[in-house]
């Protein structure tokens, strides 16, 4: 599907191409005669296609000419324009309602194909440049994702290998759950008790260095009847006792 011209592009074309001091002005039957002249001229010119599919709300006067400019472009649709008159009887060309320009010379209409061809070359070049940049950025993002996945997979394998090593040496019963950002190690402490240790990929090196000592310490605590529990703090917690302020001030 091709792109449509943006409002800013049409404004640029109108501003650069339709310039002059005094616009063309016609009255009464002169309007019909001029529109007919323009339409007949465009029918004979390469790059212009008269459009008859529009409903002309002023068809009895034939004061409007609708046409497409078939300038070559691989990425943009053929633009459609209307040549008509405004309330001041000035000849204008418009793209959409409210977006128009006065016509100062008929030649400005007839050379519109050349102007559009030049503009489409610029637009196509920018389109290809932006698409190439976008595709390059997409490839870069994909490569970074692949790299991150490889690193995470290596970390995961290292964690699993280390856990199996510790479990074999210390005769542990365990299972492992893999998450996006971490590995959860679950160790059986007793028939109906277990210990859970989260090992984030971002900190796996520090944790793995101390994992065995941590497990051994917790198991020894458990054997001696000491239970360790960690919970998130809440607003109903009692007032905390802290010596930190006293130590900081001493």
């Amino acid at each position: 599907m091709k792109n449509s011209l943006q409002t800013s592009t049409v404004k640029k074309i109108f501003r650069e191409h339709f310039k002059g001091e005094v616009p063309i002005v016609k009255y009464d039957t002169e309007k019909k005669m001029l529109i007919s002249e323009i339409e007949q001229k465009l029918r004979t010119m390469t790059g212009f296609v008269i459009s008859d599919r529009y409903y002309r709300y002023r068809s009895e006067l034939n004061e409007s000419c609708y046409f497409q400019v078939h300038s070559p472009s691989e990425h943009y649709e053929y633009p459609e324009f209307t040549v008509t008159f405004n309330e001041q009887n000035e000849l204008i060309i418009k793209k959409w309602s409210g977006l128009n320009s006065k016509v100062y010379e008929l030649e400005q209409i007839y050379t519109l194909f050349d102007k559009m061809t030049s503009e489409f070359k610029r637009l196509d070049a920018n389109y290809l440049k932006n698409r190439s940049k976008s595709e390059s950025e997409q490839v870069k993002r994909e490569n970074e994702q692949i790299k991150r996945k490889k690193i995470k997979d290596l970390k995961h394998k290292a964690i699993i290998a280390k856990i199996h090593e510790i479990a074999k040496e210390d005769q542990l019963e365990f299972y492992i759950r893999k998450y996006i950002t971490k590995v959860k190690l679950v160790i059986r402490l007793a028939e109906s008790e277990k210990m859970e240790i989260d090992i984030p990929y971002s900190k796996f090196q520090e944790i793995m260095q101390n994992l065995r000592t941590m497990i051994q310490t917790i198991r020894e605590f458990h054997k001696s009847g000491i239970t360790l529990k960690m919970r998130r703090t809440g607003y109903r917690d009692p007032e905390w006792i802290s010596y930190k302020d006293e130590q900081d001030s001493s």
Side-chain angles (χ1 to χ4, degrees):
M1 182 177 180
K2 293 187 176 182
N3 301 304
S4 299
L5 288 178
Q6 295 183 353
T7 300
S8 58
T9 300
V10 178
K11 286 182 178 180
K12 176 179 180 295
I13 294 169
F14 283 175
R15 182 177 63 252
E16 294 178 352
H17 192 65
F18 295 93
K19 298 183 291 186
E21 296 182 359
V22 181
I24 296 173
V25 177
K26 297 294 179 180
Y27 300 94
D28 302 326
T29 57
E30 292 179 334
K31 295 180 181 180
K32 178 180 177 180
M33 292 175 60
L34 182 59
I35 291 297
S36 178
E37 176 188 335
I38 293 171
E39 184 172 313
Q40 292 302 317
K41 176 71 173 180
L42 293 180
R43 288 185 184 276
T44 65
M45 298 182 67
T46 301
F48 293 95
V49 176
I50 301 299
S51 176
D52 297 319
R53 66 185 181 86
Y54 289 94
Y55 170 72
R56 299 184 179 186
Y57 67 96
R58 301 179 68 183
S59 58
E60 70 278 9
L61 297 177
N62 289 326
E63 293 181 0
S64 297
C65 175
Y66 305 87
F67 63 92
Q68 286 184 327
V69 180
H70 283 206
S71 294
S73 173
E74 296 180 5
H75 311 292
Y76 289 86
E77 297 176 343
Y78 296 141
E80 298 175 328
F81 297 98
T82 304
V83 175
T84 187
F85 291 90
N86 60 19
E87 294 180 354
Q88 289 73 43
N89 299 306
E90 297 169 329
L91 186 66
I92 63 171
I93 183 170
K94 66 179 184 179
K95 182 69 174 72
W96 300 291
S97 177
L99 182 56
N100 60 72
S101 175
K102 297 175 183 178
V103 179
Y104 299 88
E105 299 177 13
L106 291 181
E107 194 65 20
Q108 292 173 338
I109 298 174
Y110 304 144
T111 57
L112 184 58
F113 172 79
D114 296 331
K115 174 62 179 176
M116 294 301 305
T117 299
S118 174
E119 190 64 23
F120 274 131
K121 287 181 179 179
R122 182 186 70 84
L123 292 172
D124 283 346
N126 288 340
Y127 178 87
L128 292 174
K129 179 181 178 181
N130 292 334
R131 188 176 70 177
S132 176
K133 181 179 178 182
S134 177
E135 290 174 349
S136 176
E137 291 176 348
Q138 177 66 23
V139 170
K140 183 179 179 180
R141 286 193 297 269
E142 291 175 353
N143 289 337
E144 289 175 350
Q145 290 176 354
I146 293 172
K147 182 179 179 180
R148 286 194 297 269
K149 185 178 184 303
K150 287 182 177 179
I151 292 174
K152 188 170 74 173
D153 288 343
L154 289 173
K155 290 180 178 179
H156 180 74
K157 290 178 180 179
I159 292 171
I160 300 304
K162 185 63 176 179
I163 290 173
H164 278 275
E165 177 186 327
I166 296 172
K168 185 177 181 180
E169 292 177 357
D170 294 355
Q171 298 295 299
L172 301 178
E173 291 185 73
F174 71 97
Y175 63 83
I176 298 168
R177 285 179 177 165
K178 182 180 179 181
Y179 296 90
I180 295 176
T181 59
K182 66 182 181 182
V183 169
K184 182 182 290 291
L185 170 61
V186 184
I187 298 174
R188 186 193 293 274
L189 295 176
E191 185 64 29
S192 59
E193 293 180 292
K194 63 183 180 181
M195 170 180 61
E196 295 183 356
I197 302 175
D198 287 342
I199 307 175
Y201 293 120
S202 60
K203 298 182 178 180
F204 90 103
Q205 289 182 329
E206 306 97 285
I207 295 176
M208 297 311 292
Q209 289 175 357
N210 303 305
L211 182 60
R212 186 175 187 185
T213 302
M214 182 195 313
I215 294 173
Q216 290 174 342
T217 301
I218 294 175
R219 293 181 77 194
E220 289 173 3
F221 280 150
H222 181 265
K223 288 178 181 179
S224 64
I226 299 175
T227 302
L228 301 178
K229 292 183 179 181
M230 286 183 287
R231 297 286 188 271
R232 292 186 179 275
T233 58
Y235 69 93
R236 292 184 178 179
D237 289 339
E239 185 176 351
W240 294 92
I241 299 173
S242 175
Y243 296 100
K244 183 179 178 180
D245 294 338
E246 296 179 12
Q247 293 173 350
D248 292 341
S249 61
S250 61

